[in-house]
């Protein structure tokens, strides 16, 4: 079901196309946001989509513009521009880059998990990519210094490598299948460190909260904690299928004669399996929590509750915020 339109039947550009109060609606939305084809869009296509939407808001769109063209422009725009700041996001930090980037990185982590040097290299690559994604998709207009950025990156990378190497050592005498799950444990542990550190400014200063109509009320640290906790959980669940199903399949394939004859096939098969999982896991896990999340006023900081009381009018029970991705 699509979200209600504005008066006159015009598309509401401030709302997603599909009902975000349901998991199905959010899933449909994120299947468009994470569509890998969007990273192939040229800078001109992105700017043209932004321009068309701006004209549509002003009711100055070219004659003959169809709803389908507006929906396409909205999809293209949302794939590349930050929902709060409106800035064009770095290409590999966009959600449309998640599937191709993660399938390559995770596939290699799962393939080259035995060598210490390979573990170091691929965990470093993965955390470098995660740092870019977490910074690019941070909530609100929060700023982060180069020192904070460097500290978050260093801690997350060190933590991931330490977990991976430690578990590799502990599982040396374990069955081969157990060893294949070490990269997932490292990724899960690193997400618990990387995301909060890369978004530490939000935890220290708070993120913007609004009323239901989008009117900004202030910044809340409580909302930031809820937002970041939701993202950490979603990212771990997102990584689960791609880093747990392929190891089981690869462990089975390793016993087959064709794999022993052509071991070079292991890496492309693994990457393909991870990609297949991520095509579905990425949008479905992004949809676990609403992008426009809410928090009860009673759980906000006392000073923010006081500001809300002084607003007058109908008492607010909830305020809303962009949780980030």
């Amino acid at each position: 079901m699509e979200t209600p339109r504005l008066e006159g039947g015009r598309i509401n550009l401030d709302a997603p196309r599909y009902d975000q109060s349901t998991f199905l609606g959010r899933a449909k939305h994120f299947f468009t946001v994470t569509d890998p084809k969007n990273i192939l869009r040229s800078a001109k296509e992105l700017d043209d989509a932004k321009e068309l939407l701006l004209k549509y808001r002003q009711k100055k769109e070219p004659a003959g513009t169809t709803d389908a063209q507006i929906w396409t422009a909205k999809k293209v725009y949302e794939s590349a521009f930050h929902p709060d700041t409106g800035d064009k996001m770095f290409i590999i930090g966009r959600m449309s880059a998640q599937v191709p980037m993660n399938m390559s990185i995770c596939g290699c982590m799962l393939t080259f998990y035995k060598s210490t040097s390979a573990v170091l290299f691929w965990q470093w690559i993965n955390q470098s990519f995660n740092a870019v994604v977490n910074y690019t998709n941070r909530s609100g207009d929060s700023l982060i210094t180069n020192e904070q950025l460097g500290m978050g990156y260093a801690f997350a990378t060190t933590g991931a490598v330490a977990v991976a190497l430690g578990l590799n050592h502990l599982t040396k005498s374990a069955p081969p299948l157990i060893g294949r799950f070490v990269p997932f444990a490292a990724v899960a542990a690193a997400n618990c460190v990387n995301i909060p550190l890369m978004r530490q400014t939000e935890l220290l200063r708070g993120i913007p909260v609004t009323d239901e109509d989008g009117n900004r009320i202030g910044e809340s640290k409580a909302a930031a904690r809820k937002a970041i906790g939701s993202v950490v959980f979603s990212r771990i669940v997102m990584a689960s299928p791609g880093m747990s199903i392929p190891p089981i399949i690869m462990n089975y394939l390793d016993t087959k004669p064709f794999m022993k004859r052509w071991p070079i096939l292991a890496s492309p098969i693994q990457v393909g399996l991870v990609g297949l999982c991520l095509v579905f896991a990425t949008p479905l896990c992004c949809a676990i929590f609403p992008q426009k999340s809410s928090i009860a006023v009673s759980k906000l900081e006392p000073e923010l509750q006081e500001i809300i009381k002084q607003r007058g009018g109908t008492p607010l029970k909830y305020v809303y915020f962009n949780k980030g991705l």
Side-chain angles (χ1 to χ4, degrees), residues 201-252:
T201 304
E202 299 173 35
L203 293 171
L204 295 172
R205 300 179 184 176
I207 58 176
V209 293
T210 69
D211 60 20
E212 195 168 7
D213 297 323
N215 299 308
R216 186 162 174 162
I217 297 171
E219 289 75 37
S220 169
K221 297 176 185 177
R225 290 192 294 271
K226 183 175 181 180
I228 291 171
S230 300
V231 173
V232 169
F233 178 81
S234 296
R235 292 283 188 87
I236 292 174
V237 177
M238 188 188 300
S240 300
M243 301 197 78
S244 58
I245 296 174
I248 295 172
I249 296 175
M250 292 306 298
N251 201 59
Y252 169 75

Side-chain angles (χ1 to χ4, degrees), residues 5 11 17 52 65-75:
R5 297 187 176 223
I11 294 170
R17 181 174 185 175
L52 178 57
T65 300
T66 65
D67 281 0
Q69 289 174 311
I70 297 300
W71 284 127
T72 298
K74 192 172 188 297
K75 170 185 173 180

